[in-house]
Amino acid sequence: MKKVSILLFLSLLFLIPSCKKENTQQTVQTTDTQAENWNTEAEESAPPARAVPTMKGVMISGWYYDPVYNDDGSLKTMAANFEAIVGTEVGVYGTFDPSDENNGAEVIKDVLIDGAKKDFIHVLYDNEEYYVRDYAVAVNAVSAVVTNESAYLYTKPNLANLGKNTVPDLTIVAVFSADIPEDEDGRFEKIRYYVPDGKTYTVNGYLMKSVLTYDKKFVEGVMVHDKYDKLKAEGKTDQTVLDELMENNLILLENYNY
């Protein structure tokens, strides 16, 4: 009997570790399965990654719009949200394509608004997504200011192609970032700006680099000045606010010699 008991005891000693190993493997497998389930649930509940604009653009006119949808989710129209400040730089969705009329910007065409079909470009401003009219934004561009009273507009990037028009001093323009192959001497910038006189509208051409400044503070100062003139003309604020706006603007520009 003692011999049988000893053999039984030894058998149990060998079985116990084996059972522990199997239980451990089952526990690890269960934990792994739970972790996979938790990861899957987390991935399913996580919001989709937000698209990132790949280009810069400059607002030369217009408004920021929000899309309005039908009950079935299709786009119905665009609703104007607020007016853009000329010279504001925005992010533009899309992929740069110099052969495209909008430089590869993401465009929604033929949106019915105010009884007519319009084209809109997808932009990011102040970390919010909006749509703007295609004419209102210069894609793949940065803002600059004309600092010369006799800034002649050229029809081509060549001194022999001097146009008849000049761009007024302190005009904010959009300067396109792409290279200009025809500009062999590197003297010119391709620009665009908007003239809200009811007949001129969008102006395209070339300016000599020497008549432009990209200084951010100066550009912002001119933007404030333009805003001041607009508010004053529209009578949308009192004189105290206007005076404060102009005073702050003059402080911003007082040490800038252009």
Side-chain angles (χ1 to χ4, degrees):
M1 287 295 293
K2 287 184 180 181
K3 187 175 182 180
V4 173
S5 299
I6 291 171
L7 290 173
L8 180 62
F9 176 72
L10 292 173
S11 300
L12 288 174
L13 287 176
F14 284 106
L15 285 173
I16 289 173
S18 176
C19 292
K20 285 184 178 180
K21 185 176 180 181
E22 291 178 0
N23 290 336
T24 302
Q25 290 176 340
Q26 291 176 355
T27 302
V28 171
Q29 290 176 351
T30 302
T31 303
D32 289 343
T33 302
Q34 290 175 342
E36 289 177 2
N37 292 336
W38 289 335
N39 290 335
T40 302
E41 292 174 0
E43 290 173 359
E44 291 176 353
S45 61
R50 187 180 186 183
V52 178
T54 61
M55 295 178 286
K56 285 185 177 180
V58 177
M59 298 301 299
I60 59 173
S61 182
W63 290 64
Y64 297 100
Y65 290 78
D66 292 319
V68 178
Y69 298 98
N70 293 305
D71 292 339
D72 62 0
S74 61
L75 182 66
K76 180 178 181 180
T77 186
M78 294 285 184
N81 193 323
F82 59 97
E83 190 172 7
I85 299 175
V86 175
T88 301
E89 295 188 356
V90 297
V92 180
Y93 293 89
T95 302
F96 178 63
D97 180 2
S99 65
D100 178 68
E101 62 179 347
N102 292 303
N103 277 340
E106 181 183 317
V107 181
I108 298 181
K109 291 184 174 293
D110 299 330
V111 179
L112 188 62
I113 179 171
D114 298 330
K117 292 181 178 179
K118 310 291 184 181
D119 295 346
F120 286 83
I121 290 178
H122 191 191
V123 302
L124 183 72
Y125 168 65
D126 197 22
N127 206 36
E128 295 290 341
E129 294 183 44
Y130 299 99
Y131 286 87
V132 299
R133 288 287 308 280
D134 55 343
Y135 77 87
V137 59
V139 178
N140 195 44
V142 295
S143 55
V145 173
V146 175
T147 59
N148 192 305
E149 294 181 357
S150 300
Y152 283 93
L153 191 67
Y154 290 76
T155 56
K156 294 181 180 180
N158 189 297
L159 292 175
N161 291 276
L162 178 64
K164 297 179 180 180
N165 300 322
T166 59
V167 183
D169 186 23
L170 300 184
T171 297
I172 296 176
V173 299
V175 179
F176 291 96
S177 302
D179 293 334
I180 307 173
E182 306 92 334
D183 183 15
E184 297 178 357
D185 299 325
R187 295 184 179 185
F188 291 90
E189 297 284 17
K190 184 178 180 180
I191 66 100
R192 177 180 295 169
Y193 67 103
Y194 190 83
V195 181
D197 60 1
K199 58 180 181 180
T200 306
Y201 304 112
T202 304
V203 178
N204 293 283
Y206 298 86
L207 287 175
M208 295 191 70
K209 292 180 178 180
S210 59
V211 304
L212 294 169
T213 179
Y214 298 88
D215 186 281
K216 292 297 183 184
K217 288 186 177 180
F218 191 72
V219 173
E220 290 171 2
V222 176
M223 290 170 67
V224 172
H225 189 279
D226 291 348
K227 186 67 174 180
Y228 168 89
D229 288 342
K230 186 176 182 64
L231 290 173
K232 187 175 182 179
E234 296 175 349
K236 291 185 176 180
T237 188
D238 60 37
Q239 192 60 44
T240 302
V241 175
L242 288 172
D243 290 344
E244 183 177 352
L245 182 65
M246 182 51 64
E247 180 181 354
N248 291 335
N249 181 52
L250 291 175
I251 292 173
L252 183 65
L253 298 179
E254 64 181 358
N255 294 322
Y256 193 97
N257 182 17
Y258 69 93

